[in-house]
Coordinates of all heavy atoms in Angstrom, one line a residue:
N31 N -128.4 -83.7 -63.9 CA -129.0 -83.4 -62.5 C -128.3 -84.3 -61.4 O -128.2 -84.0 -60.3 CB -130.4 -83.6 -62.5 CG -131.1 -82.5 -63.2 OD1 -130.6 -81.4 -63.4 ND2 -132.4 -82.7 -63.6
E32 N -127.9 -85.5 -61.9 CA -127.3 -86.5 -60.9 C -125.8 -86.6 -60.9 O -125.3 -87.1 -59.9 CB -127.9 -88.0 -61.2 CG -129.4 -88.1 -61.0 CD -129.8 -88.0 -59.6 OE1 -129.0 -88.4 -58.7 OE2 -131.0 -87.5 -59.4
A33 N -125.2 -86.1 -61.9 CA -123.7 -86.2 -62.1 C -122.9 -85.4 -61.1 O -123.3 -84.3 -60.8 CB -123.4 -86.0 -63.5
K34 N -121.7 -85.9 -60.8 CA -120.7 -85.2 -60.0 C -119.4 -85.3 -60.7 O -119.2 -86.3 -61.5 CB -120.7 -85.8 -58.7 CG -122.0 -85.8 -57.9 CD -121.8 -86.5 -56.5 CE -123.2 -86.5 -55.8 NZ -123.1 -87.3 -54.5
P35 N -118.4 -84.6 -60.3 CA -117.1 -84.8 -60.8 C -116.5 -86.2 -60.6 O -116.7 -86.8 -59.5 CB -116.2 -83.7 -60.1 CG -117.2 -82.7 -59.6 CD -118.5 -83.4 -59.4
G36 N -115.9 -86.7 -61.5 CA -115.4 -88.1 -61.5 C -116.3 -89.1 -62.0 O -115.8 -90.3 -62.2
N37 N -117.6 -88.8 -62.2 CA -118.4 -89.8 -62.9 C -118.1 -90.0 -64.3 O -117.4 -89.2 -65.0 CB -119.9 -89.3 -62.7 CG -120.5 -89.5 -61.5 OD1 -121.4 -88.7 -61.1 ND2 -120.2 -90.5 -60.7
F38 N -118.6 -91.1 -64.9 CA -118.5 -91.2 -66.4 C -119.8 -91.7 -67.0 O -120.7 -92.0 -66.3 CB -117.3 -92.2 -66.6 CG -117.6 -93.7 -66.2 CD1 -118.0 -94.6 -67.1 CD2 -117.4 -94.1 -64.9 CE1 -118.3 -95.9 -66.7 CE2 -117.6 -95.4 -64.5 CZ -118.1 -96.3 -65.4
I39 N -119.8 -91.9 -68.3 CA -120.9 -92.3 -69.0 C -120.5 -93.5 -69.9 O -119.4 -93.6 -70.3 CB -121.6 -91.2 -69.8 CG1 -120.5 -90.5 -70.8 CG2 -122.2 -90.1 -68.9 CD1 -121.1 -89.5 -71.7
E40 N -121.5 -94.3 -70.3 CA -121.3 -95.4 -71.3 C -122.1 -95.0 -72.5 O -123.4 -94.8 -72.4 CB -121.7 -96.7 -70.7 CG -120.7 -97.2 -69.7 CD -119.7 -98.1 -70.3 OE1 -119.7 -98.4 -71.6 OE2 -118.7 -98.5 -69.6
I41 N -121.5 -95.0 -73.7 CA -122.2 -94.6 -74.9 C -122.3 -95.8 -75.9 O -121.3 -96.5 -76.2 CB -121.5 -93.5 -75.6 CG1 -121.5 -92.2 -74.7 CG2 -122.2 -93.1 -76.9 CD1 -120.8 -91.1 -75.2
R42 N -123.5 -96.0 -76.4 CA -123.7 -97.0 -77.5 C -123.5 -96.2 -78.7 O -124.3 -95.3 -79.1 CB -125.1 -97.6 -77.4 CG -125.2 -98.7 -78.5 CD -126.6 -99.4 -78.4 NE -126.7 -100.5 -79.3 CZ -127.7 -101.2 -79.5 NH1 -128.8 -101.0 -78.7 NH2 -127.8 -102.3 -80.4
V43 N -122.5 -96.5 -79.5 CA -122.1 -95.7 -80.7 C -122.8 -96.0 -81.9 O -122.9 -95.3 -82.9 CB -120.6 -95.8 -80.9 CG1 -119.8 -95.3 -79.7 CG2 -120.1 -97.2 -81.3
N44 N -123.4 -97.3 -81.9 CA -124.1 -97.8 -83.1 C -125.3 -98.5 -82.7 O -125.3 -99.4 -81.9 CB -123.1 -98.7 -83.9 CG -123.6 -98.9 -85.3 OD1 -124.7 -98.6 -85.7 ND2 -122.7 -99.3 -86.2
E45 N -126.4 -98.3 -83.4 CA -127.7 -99.0 -83.1 C -127.6 -100.4 -83.7 O -128.4 -101.3 -83.3 CB -128.9 -98.3 -83.7 CG -129.2 -96.9 -83.0 CD -129.3 -97.1 -81.5 OE1 -130.2 -98.0 -81.2 OE2 -128.7 -96.4 -80.7
N46 N -126.7 -100.7 -84.6 CA -126.5 -102.1 -85.1 C -125.8 -102.9 -84.1 O -125.4 -102.5 -83.0 CB -125.8 -102.0 -86.4 CG -126.6 -101.2 -87.5 OD1 -127.8 -101.3 -87.6 ND2 -125.9 -100.5 -88.3
T47 N -125.5 -104.2 -84.4 CA -124.9 -105.0 -83.5 C -123.4 -104.8 -83.2 O -122.8 -105.1 -82.2 CB -125.1 -106.5 -83.9 OG1 -124.5 -106.6 -85.2 CG2 -126.6 -106.9 -83.9
E48 N -122.7 -104.1 -84.2 CA -121.2 -103.9 -84.1 C -121.0 -102.4 -84.2 O -121.5 -101.7 -85.0 CB -120.6 -104.7 -85.2 CG -119.1 -104.7 -85.0 CD -118.4 -105.4 -86.2 OE1 -119.1 -105.9 -87.1 OE2 -117.2 -105.4 -86.2
P49 N -120.1 -102.0 -83.3 CA -119.5 -102.7 -82.1 C -120.6 -102.9 -81.0 O -121.4 -102.0 -80.7 CB -118.4 -101.8 -81.6 CG -118.8 -100.5 -82.0 CD -119.6 -100.6 -83.2
F50 N -120.6 -104.0 -80.4 CA -121.6 -104.5 -79.4 C -121.5 -103.7 -78.1 O -122.5 -103.2 -77.6 CB -121.5 -106.0 -79.2 CG -122.5 -106.4 -78.1 CD1 -123.9 -106.5 -78.5 CD2 -122.1 -106.9 -76.9 CE1 -124.8 -107.0 -77.5 CE2 -123.0 -107.2 -76.0 CZ -124.3 -107.4 -76.2
L51 N -120.3 -103.5 -77.6 CA -120.1 -103.0 -76.3 C -120.2 -101.4 -76.3 O -119.7 -100.8 -77.4 CB -118.7 -103.3 -75.7 CG -118.6 -104.9 -75.4 CD1 -117.1 -105.1 -75.0 CD2 -119.6 -105.3 -74.4
R52 N -120.7 -100.8 -75.3 CA -120.7 -99.4 -75.1 C -119.3 -98.9 -74.9 O -118.3 -99.6 -74.5 CB -121.6 -98.9 -74.0 CG -123.1 -99.2 -74.3 CD -123.9 -98.8 -73.0 NE -125.3 -99.1 -73.3 CZ -126.2 -98.2 -73.8 NH1 -125.8 -96.9 -73.9 NH2 -127.5 -98.4 -74.1
R53 N -119.1 -97.6 -75.2 CA -117.7 -97.0 -74.9 C -117.8 -96.1 -73.6 O -118.7 -95.2 -73.5 CB -117.3 -96.1 -76.1 CG -117.0 -96.9 -77.4 CD -116.2 -98.1 -77.1 NE -115.7 -98.8 -78.3 CZ -116.1 -99.9 -78.8 NH1 -117.1 -100.5 -78.2 NH2 -115.5 -100.5 -79.9
P54 N -116.9 -96.3 -72.6 CA -116.9 -95.5 -71.4 C -116.2 -94.3 -71.7 O -115.1 -94.2 -72.3 CB -116.1 -96.4 -70.5 CG -115.2 -97.3 -71.3 CD -115.9 -97.5 -72.6
I55 N -116.8 -93.0 -71.4 CA -116.1 -91.8 -71.6 C -116.4 -90.9 -70.4 O -117.5 -90.9 -69.8 CB -116.8 -91.1 -72.8 CG1 -116.4 -91.9 -74.1 CG2 -116.3 -89.7 -73.0 CD1 -117.0 -91.4 -75.4
S56 N -115.4 -90.2 -69.9 CA -115.5 -89.3 -68.8 C -116.3 -88.1 -69.0 O -116.4 -87.6 -70.1 CB -114.1 -88.9 -68.3 OG -113.4 -88.3 -69.2
I57 N -116.9 -87.5 -68.0 CA -117.6 -86.3 -68.1 C -116.7 -85.1 -68.0 O -115.9 -85.0 -67.0 CB -118.7 -86.2 -67.0 CG1 -119.7 -87.3 -67.2 CG2 -119.3 -84.9 -66.9 CD1 -120.8 -87.4 -66.0
Y58 N -116.8 -84.2 -68.9 CA -116.0 -83.1 -69.0 C -116.5 -81.9 -68.2 O -115.9 -81.3 -67.3 CB -115.6 -82.7 -70.4 CG -115.0 -81.3 -70.5 CD1 -113.8 -80.9 -70.0 CD2 -115.8 -80.3 -71.3 CE1 -113.3 -79.6 -70.1 CE2 -115.3 -79.1 -71.5 CZ -114.1 -78.6 -70.8 OH -113.5 -77.4 -71.0
N59 N -117.8 -81.5 -68.6 CA -118.4 -80.3 -68.0 C -119.9 -80.6 -67.8 O -120.6 -81.3 -68.6 CB -118.2 -79.2 -68.9 CG -118.8 -77.9 -68.2 OD1 -118.6 -77.6 -67.1 ND2 -119.5 -77.0 -69.1
L60 N -120.4 -80.0 -66.8 CA -121.9 -80.1 -66.5 C -122.6 -78.8 -66.4 O -122.2 -77.9 -65.7 CB -122.2 -80.8 -65.1 CG -121.6 -82.3 -65.0 CD1 -121.6 -82.7 -63.6 CD2 -122.5 -83.2 -65.9
D61 N -123.5 -78.4 -67.3 CA -124.3 -77.2 -67.2 C -125.7 -77.5 -66.7 O -126.5 -77.9 -67.4 CB -124.4 -76.7 -68.7 CG -125.0 -75.2 -68.6 OD1 -125.7 -75.0 -67.7 OD2 -124.8 -74.4 -69.6
K62 N -125.7 -77.4 -65.4 CA -126.9 -77.9 -64.6 C -128.1 -77.0 -65.0 O -129.3 -77.4 -64.9 CB -126.7 -77.9 -63.2 CG -125.7 -79.1 -62.8 CD -125.7 -79.4 -61.4 CE -124.7 -80.5 -61.0 NZ -125.2 -81.8 -61.3
E63 N -127.9 -75.7 -65.3 CA -129.0 -74.7 -65.6 C -129.6 -75.1 -66.9 O -130.8 -75.0 -67.1 CB -128.4 -73.3 -65.7 CG -128.0 -72.8 -64.4 CD -127.7 -71.3 -64.4 OE1 -127.8 -70.7 -65.4 OE2 -127.3 -70.7 -63.3
K64 N -128.8 -75.5 -68.0 CA -129.4 -75.8 -69.2 C -129.5 -77.3 -69.5 O -130.1 -77.7 -70.5 CB -128.5 -75.2 -70.3 CG -128.4 -73.7 -70.2 CD -127.5 -73.1 -71.3 CE -127.4 -71.7 -71.3 NZ -126.5 -71.1 -72.4
G65 N -129.1 -78.2 -68.5 CA -129.2 -79.6 -68.7 C -128.3 -80.2 -69.8 O -128.6 -81.1 -70.5
I66 N -127.2 -79.5 -70.0 CA -126.3 -79.9 -71.1 C -125.1 -80.6 -70.4 O -124.5 -80.2 -69.5 CB -125.7 -78.6 -71.8 CG1 -126.9 -78.1 -72.6 CG2 -124.6 -79.1 -72.8 CD1 -126.6 -76.8 -73.3
L67 N -124.7 -81.8 -71.0 CA -123.6 -82.6 -70.6 C -122.6 -82.5 -71.7 O -122.9 -82.6 -73.0 CB -124.1 -84.1 -70.5 CG -123.0 -85.2 -70.4 CD1 -122.4 -85.1 -69.1 CD2 -123.7 -86.5 -70.6
E68 N -121.3 -82.3 -71.3 CA -120.2 -82.2 -72.3 C -119.3 -83.3 -72.0 O -118.9 -83.6 -70.9 CB -119.6 -80.8 -72.2 CG -120.5 -79.6 -72.4 CD -119.8 -78.3 -72.3 OE1 -118.6 -78.2 -72.8 OE2 -120.4 -77.3 -71.8
F69 N -118.8 -83.9 -73.0 CA -117.7 -84.9 -73.0 C -116.8 -84.7 -74.1 O -117.1 -84.3 -75.2 CB -118.3 -86.3 -72.9 CG -119.1 -86.7 -74.1 CD1 -118.6 -87.4 -75.1 CD2 -120.5 -86.5 -74.0 CE1 -119.4 -87.8 -76.2 CE2 -121.3 -86.9 -75.0 CZ -120.8 -87.6 -76.2
I70 N -115.4 -85.1 -73.9 CA -114.4 -85.0 -74.9 C -113.8 -86.4 -75.0 O -113.5 -87.1 -74.0 CB -113.4 -84.0 -74.5 CG1 -114.0 -82.6 -74.3 CG2 -112.3 -83.9 -75.5 CD1 -113.1 -81.5 -73.8
F71 N -113.6 -86.8 -76.2 CA -113.0 -88.2 -76.5 C -112.0 -88.1 -77.6 O -112.1 -87.3 -78.5 CB -114.1 -89.2 -76.7 CG -114.9 -89.0 -78.0 CD1 -114.5 -89.6 -79.2 CD2 -116.0 -88.1 -78.0 CE1 -115.2 -89.4 -80.3 CE2 -116.6 -87.9 -79.2 CZ -116.3 -88.5 -80.3
Q72 N -111.1 -89.1 -77.6 CA -110.1 -89.2 -78.7 C -110.5 -90.4 -79.5 O -110.8 -91.5 -79.0 CB -108.7 -89.4 -78.2 CG -107.6 -89.5 -79.2 CD -106.1 -89.7 -78.6 OE1 -106.1 -90.4 -77.5 NE2 -105.3 -89.0 -79.0
V73 N -110.4 -90.3 -80.9 CA -110.7 -91.3 -81.8 C -109.5 -92.4 -81.6 O -108.4 -92.1 -82.0 CB -110.8 -90.9 -83.2 CG1 -111.0 -92.1 -84.2 CG2 -112.1 -90.0 -83.3
K74 N -109.8 -93.6 -81.2 CA -108.8 -94.6 -81.0 C -109.1 -95.9 -81.8 O -108.2 -96.7 -82.1 CB -108.6 -94.9 -79.6 CG -107.9 -93.8 -78.8 CD -107.6 -94.3 -77.3 CE -106.8 -93.3 -76.6 NZ -106.5 -93.8 -75.2
G75 N -110.3 -96.1 -82.1 CA -110.7 -97.3 -82.8 C -112.0 -97.2 -83.5 O -112.5 -96.1 -83.8
K76 N -112.6 -98.3 -83.8 CA -113.8 -98.3 -84.6 C -114.9 -97.6 -84.0 O -115.7 -96.8 -84.6 CB -114.2 -99.8 -85.0 CG -115.4 -99.9 -85.9 CD -115.7 -101.4 -86.3 CE -116.9 -101.3 -87.3 NZ -117.2 -102.8 -87.7
G77 N -115.1 -97.9 -82.7 CA -116.2 -97.3 -82.0 C -116.2 -95.8 -81.8 O -117.2 -95.1 -82.1
T78 N -115.1 -95.3 -81.4 CA -115.0 -93.8 -81.3 C -115.0 -93.2 -82.6 O -115.4 -92.0 -82.8 CB -113.7 -93.5 -80.6 OG1 -112.5 -94.2 -81.0 CG2 -113.9 -93.7 -79.1
K79 N -114.5 -93.9 -83.7 CA -114.7 -93.3 -85.0 C -116.0 -93.1 -85.5 O -116.4 -92.1 -86.0 CB -113.9 -94.2 -86.1 CG -113.8 -93.6 -87.5 CD -113.0 -94.5 -88.4 CE -112.8 -93.8 -89.7 NZ -114.0 -93.5 -90.4
I80 N -116.9 -94.1 -85.1 CA -118.3 -94.0 -85.4 C -118.9 -92.8 -84.6 O -119.7 -92.1 -85.2 CB -119.0 -95.3 -85.1 CG1 -118.5 -96.5 -86.0 CG2 -120.5 -95.2 -85.2 CD1 -119.0 -97.8 -85.7
L81 N -118.6 -92.7 -83.3 CA -119.1 -91.7 -82.5 C -118.7 -90.2 -83.1 O -119.5 -89.4 -83.1 CB -118.6 -91.8 -81.1 CG -119.1 -90.9 -80.1 CD1 -120.7 -90.9 -79.9 CD2 -118.5 -91.1 -78.7
A82 N -117.5 -90.2 -83.6 CA -117.0 -88.8 -84.1 C -117.8 -88.4 -85.3 O -117.8 -87.2 -85.6 CB -115.5 -89.0 -84.4
E83 N -118.5 -89.3 -86.0 CA -119.1 -89.1 -87.2 C -120.6 -88.6 -87.0 O -121.3 -88.2 -87.9 CB -119.1 -90.3 -88.2 CG -117.7 -90.6 -88.7 CD -117.6 -91.9 -89.4 OE1 -118.6 -92.7 -89.3 OE2 -116.6 -92.2 -90.0
K84 N -121.0 -88.6 -85.7 CA -122.4 -88.1 -85.4 C -122.5 -86.6 -85.7 O -121.5 -85.9 -85.6 CB -122.6 -88.3 -83.9 CG -122.6 -89.8 -83.4 CD -123.8 -90.6 -83.8 CE -123.7 -91.9 -83.2 NZ -124.9 -92.8 -83.7
Q85 N -123.7 -86.3 -86.1 CA -123.8 -84.8 -86.5 C -124.9 -84.2 -85.5 O -125.6 -84.9 -84.8 CB -124.4 -84.8 -88.0 CG -123.4 -85.4 -89.0 CD -122.1 -84.7 -89.0 OE1 -122.1 -83.4 -89.0 NE2 -121.0 -85.4 -89.1
K86 N -124.9 -82.8 -85.5 CA -125.9 -82.1 -84.8 C -127.3 -82.6 -85.0 O -127.7 -82.8 -86.2 CB -125.8 -80.6 -85.1 CG -124.5 -80.0 -84.5 CD -124.5 -78.5 -84.9 CE -123.2 -77.8 -84.5 NZ -123.2 -76.4 -84.8
G87 N -128.0 -82.8 -84.0 CA -129.4 -83.2 -84.1 C -129.5 -84.8 -84.0 O -130.6 -85.3 -83.7
D88 N -128.5 -85.5 -84.1 CA -128.5 -87.0 -83.8 C -128.7 -87.3 -82.4 O -128.3 -86.6 -81.5 CB -127.2 -87.6 -84.3 CG -127.0 -87.7 -85.8 OD1 -127.9 -87.3 -86.5 OD2 -125.8 -87.9 -86.3
L89 N -129.4 -88.4 -82.2 CA -129.6 -88.9 -80.9 C -128.6 -89.9 -80.4 O -128.1 -90.7 -81.3 CB -131.0 -89.7 -80.8 CG -132.2 -88.7 -81.0 CD1 -133.5 -89.6 -80.9 CD2 -132.3 -87.6 -79.9
I90 N -128.0 -89.8 -79.2 CA -126.9 -90.6 -78.7 C -127.4 -91.4 -77.6 O -127.9 -90.8 -76.6 CB -125.7 -89.8 -78.4 CG1 -125.2 -89.1 -79.7 CG2 -124.6 -90.8 -77.9 CD1 -124.0 -88.2 -79.4
D91 N -127.3 -92.7 -77.6 CA -127.8 -93.6 -76.4 C -126.7 -93.6 -75.3 O -125.6 -94.1 -75.5 CB -128.0 -95.0 -77.0 CG -128.6 -95.9 -76.0 OD1 -128.5 -95.7 -74.8 OD2 -129.2 -96.9 -76.4
I92 N -127.1 -93.0 -74.2 CA -126.1 -92.9 -73.0 C -126.7 -93.4 -71.8 O -127.8 -93.2 -71.4 CB -125.8 -91.4 -72.9 CG1 -125.3 -90.7 -74.2 CG2 -124.8 -91.2 -71.7 CD1 -125.0 -89.2 -74.0
I93 N -125.9 -94.1 -71.0 CA -126.2 -94.5 -69.7 C -125.3 -93.8 -68.8 O -124.0 -93.7 -68.9 CB -126.0 -96.0 -69.4 CG1 -127.0 -96.9 -70.3 CG2 -126.2 -96.4 -68.0 CD1 -126.8 -98.3 -70.2
G94 N -125.9 -93.1 -67.7 CA -125.0 -92.4 -66.8 C -125.9 -91.7 -65.7 O -127.1 -91.7 -65.8
P95 N -125.3 -91.1 -64.7 CA -123.9 -91.1 -64.5 C -123.5 -92.4 -63.8 O -124.2 -92.9 -63.0 CB -123.7 -89.9 -63.5 CG -125.0 -89.8 -62.8 CD -126.0 -90.2 -63.8
L96 N -122.2 -92.9 -64.1 CA -121.7 -94.1 -63.6 C -120.5 -93.8 -62.7 O -119.8 -92.8 -62.9 CB -121.5 -95.1 -64.7 CG -122.6 -95.5 -65.6 CD1 -122.2 -96.2 -66.9 CD2 -123.5 -96.4 -64.8
G97 N -120.2 -94.8 -61.9 CA -119.0 -94.6 -61.1 C -119.4 -94.2 -59.7 O -120.2 -93.4 -59.4
F98 N -118.9 -95.0 -58.7 CA -119.1 -94.7 -57.3 C -118.2 -93.7 -56.6 O -118.6 -92.8 -55.9 CB -119.2 -95.9 -56.5 CG -119.3 -95.8 -55.1 CD1 -120.6 -95.5 -54.6 CD2 -118.3 -96.0 -54.2 CE1 -120.8 -95.4 -53.2 CE2 -118.5 -95.8 -52.8 CZ -119.8 -95.5 -52.3
G99 N -116.9 -93.9 -57.0 CA -115.9 -93.1 -56.2 C -115.6 -91.7 -56.7 O -114.6 -91.4 -57.3

Side-chain angles (χ1 to χ4, degrees):
N31 288 339
E32 295 293 329
K34 301 175 182 178
N37 285 147
F38 68 98
I39 53 178
E40 285 270 354
I41 298 178
R42 185 175 183 182
V43 300
N44 197 344
E45 291 305 311
N46 298 320
T47 56
E48 190 182 358
F50 176 73
L51 297 176
R52 292 175 179 267
R53 293 315 190 252
I55 296 178
S56 58
I57 293 172
Y58 164 65
N59 186 45
L60 299 166
D61 186 336
K62 293 189 178 285
E63 290 185 4
K64 297 180 180 178
I66 295 173
L67 167 70
E68 300 181 39
F69 58 91
I70 302 175
F71 63 95
Q72 182 180 40
V73 175
K74 287 188 172 181
K76 184 175 181 179
T78 46
K79 186 176 186 299
I80 293 171
L81 182 59
E83 293 170 352
K84 300 286 186 184
Q85 300 299 318
K86 291 181 184 179
D88 287 351
L89 296 177
I90 301 178
D91 187 336
I92 301 175
I93 294 178
L96 296 167
F98 175 76

